[in-house]
mmCIF file of all heavy atoms in Angstrom:
data_model
loop_
_atom_site.group_PDB
_atom_site.id
_atom_site.type_symbol
_atom_site.label_atom_id
_atom_site.label_comp_id
_atom_site.label_asym_id
_atom_site.label_seq_id
_atom_site.Cartn_x
_atom_site.Cartn_y
_atom_site.Cartn_z
ATOM 1 N N ARG A 319 13.756 56.000 -10.423
ATOM 2 C CA ARG A 319 14.819 56.288 -11.388
ATOM 3 C C ARG A 319 15.263 55.022 -12.112
ATOM 4 O O ARG A 319 15.402 55.017 -13.343
ATOM 5 C CB ARG A 319 16.013 56.929 -10.674
ATOM 6 C CG ARG A 319 17.173 57.293 -11.600
ATOM 7 C CD ARG A 319 18.403 57.694 -10.813
ATOM 8 N NE ARG A 319 18.935 56.592 -10.020
ATOM 9 C CZ ARG A 319 19.681 55.604 -10.532
ATOM 10 N NH1 ARG A 319 19.970 55.575 -11.823
ATOM 11 N NH2 ARG A 319 20.124 54.641 -9.756
ATOM 12 N N ARG A 320 15.468 53.939 -11.360
ATOM 13 C CA ARG A 320 15.946 52.697 -11.962
ATOM 14 C C ARG A 320 14.887 52.087 -12.887
ATOM 15 O O ARG A 320 15.206 51.586 -13.966
ATOM 16 C CB ARG A 320 16.329 51.709 -10.872
ATOM 17 C CG ARG A 320 17.574 52.130 -10.088
ATOM 18 C CD ARG A 320 17.824 51.188 -8.926
ATOM 19 N NE ARG A 320 17.914 49.808 -9.391
ATOM 20 C CZ ARG A 320 17.501 48.767 -8.692
ATOM 21 N NH1 ARG A 320 16.959 48.937 -7.501
ATOM 22 N NH2 ARG A 320 17.634 47.553 -9.182
ATOM 23 N N ILE A 321 13.623 52.134 -12.463
ATOM 24 C CA ILE A 321 12.549 51.606 -13.317
ATOM 25 C C ILE A 321 12.403 52.457 -14.568
ATOM 26 O O ILE A 321 12.230 51.923 -15.681
ATOM 27 C CB ILE A 321 11.216 51.550 -12.533
ATOM 28 C CG1 ILE A 321 11.278 50.445 -11.471
ATOM 29 C CG2 ILE A 321 10.045 51.307 -13.473
ATOM 30 C CD1 ILE A 321 10.018 50.319 -10.637
ATOM 31 N N LYS A 322 12.499 53.774 -14.416
ATOM 32 C CA LYS A 322 12.394 54.662 -15.573
ATOM 33 C C LYS A 322 13.520 54.409 -16.564
ATOM 34 O O LYS A 322 13.296 54.355 -17.783
ATOM 35 C CB LYS A 322 12.411 56.118 -15.108
ATOM 36 C CG LYS A 322 12.271 57.124 -16.240
ATOM 37 C CD LYS A 322 12.297 58.560 -15.713
ATOM 38 C CE LYS A 322 12.198 59.551 -16.871
ATOM 39 N NZ LYS A 322 12.268 60.961 -16.398
ATOM 40 N N GLU A 323 14.737 54.239 -16.058
ATOM 41 C CA GLU A 323 15.873 53.967 -16.944
ATOM 42 C C GLU A 323 15.684 52.653 -17.700
ATOM 43 O O GLU A 323 15.964 52.574 -18.905
ATOM 44 C CB GLU A 323 17.166 53.927 -16.134
ATOM 45 C CG GLU A 323 17.648 55.287 -15.657
ATOM 46 C CD GLU A 323 18.952 55.191 -14.886
ATOM 47 O OE1 GLU A 323 19.425 54.046 -14.658
ATOM 48 O OE2 GLU A 323 19.515 56.242 -14.515
ATOM 49 N N ALA A 324 15.220 51.619 -16.989
ATOM 50 C CA ALA A 324 14.999 50.328 -17.643
ATOM 51 C C ALA A 324 13.906 50.430 -18.691
ATOM 52 O O ALA A 324 14.027 49.869 -19.802
ATOM 53 C CB ALA A 324 14.644 49.264 -16.600
ATOM 54 N N ASN A 325 12.825 51.158 -18.381
ATOM 55 C CA ASN A 325 11.732 51.335 -19.342
ATOM 56 C C ASN A 325 12.187 52.118 -20.567
ATOM 57 O O ASN A 325 11.860 51.763 -21.712
ATOM 58 C CB ASN A 325 10.557 52.058 -18.679
ATOM 59 C CG ASN A 325 9.818 51.186 -17.694
ATOM 60 O OD1 ASN A 325 9.939 49.965 -17.718
ATOM 61 N ND2 ASN A 325 9.048 51.805 -16.813
ATOM 62 N N GLU A 326 12.928 53.190 -20.326
ATOM 63 C CA GLU A 326 13.380 54.028 -21.437
ATOM 64 C C GLU A 326 14.349 53.272 -22.343
ATOM 65 O O GLU A 326 14.321 53.426 -23.572
ATOM 66 C CB GLU A 326 14.033 55.304 -20.895
ATOM 67 C CG GLU A 326 13.046 56.278 -20.280
ATOM 68 C CD GLU A 326 13.723 57.508 -19.718
ATOM 69 O OE1 GLU A 326 14.981 57.481 -19.579
ATOM 70 O OE2 GLU A 326 13.020 58.497 -19.419
ATOM 71 N N GLU A 327 15.208 52.461 -21.734
ATOM 72 C CA GLU A 327 16.149 51.683 -22.532
ATOM 73 C C GLU A 327 15.412 50.660 -23.401
ATOM 74 O O GLU A 327 15.721 50.499 -24.585
ATOM 75 C CB GLU A 327 17.141 50.964 -21.627
ATOM 76 C CG GLU A 327 18.188 50.162 -22.390
ATOM 77 C CD GLU A 327 19.191 49.496 -21.472
ATOM 78 O OE1 GLU A 327 19.047 49.624 -20.239
ATOM 79 O OE2 GLU A 327 20.129 48.843 -21.974
ATOM 80 N N PHE A 328 14.418 49.982 -22.817
ATOM 81 C CA PHE A 328 13.631 49.010 -23.585
ATOM 82 C C PHE A 328 12.875 49.704 -24.712
ATOM 83 O O PHE A 328 12.865 49.249 -25.865
ATOM 84 C CB PHE A 328 12.662 48.281 -22.657
ATOM 85 C CG PHE A 328 11.864 47.201 -23.337
ATOM 86 C CD1 PHE A 328 12.373 45.918 -23.475
ATOM 87 C CD2 PHE A 328 10.597 47.467 -23.853
ATOM 88 C CE1 PHE A 328 11.642 44.921 -24.095
ATOM 89 C CE2 PHE A 328 9.862 46.480 -24.486
ATOM 90 C CZ PHE A 328 10.389 45.200 -24.605
ATOM 91 N N ASP A 329 12.203 50.827 -24.406
ATOM 92 C CA ASP A 329 11.433 51.552 -25.424
ATOM 93 C C ASP A 329 12.340 52.114 -26.511
ATOM 94 O O ASP A 329 11.978 52.111 -27.700
ATOM 95 C CB ASP A 329 10.639 52.685 -24.778
ATOM 96 C CG ASP A 329 9.508 52.177 -23.899
ATOM 97 O OD1 ASP A 329 9.105 51.010 -24.063
ATOM 98 O OD2 ASP A 329 9.029 52.942 -23.032
ATOM 99 N N ARG A 330 13.497 52.593 -26.128
ATOM 100 C CA ARG A 330 14.415 53.184 -27.111
ATOM 101 C C ARG A 330 14.951 52.115 -28.075
ATOM 102 O O ARG A 330 14.974 52.311 -29.292
ATOM 103 C CB ARG A 330 15.583 53.857 -26.382
ATOM 104 C CG ARG A 330 16.592 54.499 -27.331
ATOM 105 C CD ARG A 330 17.699 55.210 -26.565
ATOM 106 N NE ARG A 330 18.483 54.294 -25.742
ATOM 107 C CZ ARG A 330 18.412 54.253 -24.413
ATOM 108 N NH1 ARG A 330 17.603 55.057 -23.756
ATOM 109 N NH2 ARG A 330 19.154 53.393 -23.730
ATOM 110 N N ASP A 331 15.361 50.971 -27.521
ATOM 111 C CA ASP A 331 15.978 49.940 -28.346
ATOM 112 C C ASP A 331 14.963 49.132 -29.155
ATOM 113 O O ASP A 331 15.259 48.727 -30.289
ATOM 114 C CB ASP A 331 16.789 48.981 -27.466
ATOM 115 C CG ASP A 331 17.989 49.662 -26.824
ATOM 116 O OD1 ASP A 331 18.379 50.738 -27.314
ATOM 117 O OD2 ASP A 331 18.518 49.122 -25.832
#
Side-chain angles (χ1 to χ4, degrees):
R319 181 190 64 79
R320 291 174 55 214
I321 289 179
K322 181 180 178 182
E323 287 181 356
N325 288 342
E326 289 178 347
E327 182 178 2
F328 183 86
D329 291 341
R330 180 177 62 252
D331 294 342

